[in-house]
Amino acid sequence: ETGVTQTPRHLVMGMTNKKSLKCEQHLGHNAMYWYKQSAKKPLELMFVYNFKEQTENNSVPSRFSPECPNSSHLFLHLHTLQPEDSALYLCASSQSNQPQHFGDGTRLSIL
Amino acid sequence: AQSVTQLDSQVPVFEEAPVELRCNYSSSVSVYLFWYVQYPNQGLQLLLKYLSGSTLVKGINGFEAEFNKSQTSFHLRKPSVHISDTAEYFCAVTPHRGSQGNLIFGKGTKLSVKP
């Protein structure tokens, strides 16, 4: 039990579909993050939320849309994705300047 | 801007042998340093961190790392590895200023421990 839960663990979708990834943290942290992990590439930070406010958007295409309704929940809404978007999407949370805790990720495959 | 280089993409080693996974970083400002481990089908787990103080840092599972400012390195070591240490290891840095949210990761080193 990592304290950060991601659902679903696996997702296969077509390029025209709309789906959402969910992340929930039970650690009382005030910051949440989305990362993309592709084969043979460093982890890429996508979005950062502090106290529900987005503080970082690393030039992520608009087909990825984050939502943070409260400090415990983070969503990543997906629409009209491309094959190169197939990857492991990791969620993390942290408290102030403490290290991040990661979920087990959602393995996304785009057909 | 910061960058992290993990010099070895794969490191095969026999059980009970020592191992060193190398990490070098580049930064114009002072940084905090971290090592994370990722087991198959799981997320990243913090192994250890260097924030300040003693340059030799001990982490979980018998791992340790030494911060060398002059060589801008933060190599990870374990004197005797187990099969269960087979995983991918990531070095990461974040600048002192700002939150620890802005982690910059290396590409990772896959450690494969053979019996």
Side-chain angles (χ1 to χ4, degrees), chain A residues 33-49:
Chain A
Y33 315 83
W34 278 117
Y35 287 89
K36 177 183 179 183
Q37 186 177 28
S38 305
K40 300 182 181 179
K41 285 186 176 181
L43 266 76
E44 301 170 55
L45 179 65
M46 300 174 72
F47 302 104
V48 181
Y49 278 82

Side-chain angles (χ1 to χ4, degrees), chain B residues 13-16 19 37-40 42 45 47 60-63 78 80-89 111-115:
Chain B
V13 64
F14 286 106
E15 194 174 17
E16 297 184 7
V19 71
V37 59
Q38 186 176 30
Y39 298 104
Q42 292 186 26
Q45 179 182 356
L47 264 183
I60 62 172
N61 302 340
F63 284 92
K78 185 169 182 177
S80 176
V81 294
H82 303 290
I83 299 287
S84 58
D85 292 323
T86 295
E88 190 158 18
Y89 293 80
L111 176 64
S112 175
V113 182
K114 304 175 187 302

Side-chain angles (χ1 to χ4, degrees), chain B:
Chain B
Q2 292 76 40
S3 66
V4 177
T5 302
Q6 291 184 244
L7 297 166
D8 305 299
S9 59
Q10 297 189 48
V11 173
V13 64
F14 286 106
E15 194 174 17
E16 297 184 7
V19 71
E20 177 180 83
L21 306 183
R22 296 179 291 172
C23 173
N24 288 87
Y25 68 93
S26 173
S27 177
S28 58
V29 300
S30 296
V31 294
Y32 299 121
L33 299 119
F34 307 85
W35 275 99
Y36 283 85
V37 59
Q38 186 176 30
Y39 298 104
N41 301 315
Q42 292 186 26
L44 277 68
Q45 179 182 356
L46 181 69
L47 264 183
L48 49 80
K49 61 185 177 183
Y50 174 77
L51 303 182
S52 64
S54 172
T55 57
L56 183 62
V57 180
K58 293 189 184 299
I60 62 172
N61 302 340
F63 284 92
E64 64 180 32
E66 186 157 18
F67 170 54
N68 188 318
K69 188 174 182 179
S70 62
Q71 296 185 7
T72 59
S73 68
F74 191 54
H75 301 331
L76 182 70
R77 301 186 186 100
K78 185 169 182 177
S80 176
V81 294
H82 303 290
I83 299 287
S84 58
D85 292 323
T86 295
E88 190 158 18
Y89 293 80
F90 293 91
C91 181
V93 303
T94 190
H96 278 192
R97 290 188 178 179
S99 74
Q100 289 182 14
N102 295 347
L103 285 172
I104 309 300
F105 285 89
K107 290 186 177 182
T109 298
K110 289 185 178 178
L111 176 64
S112 175
V113 182
K114 304 175 187 302

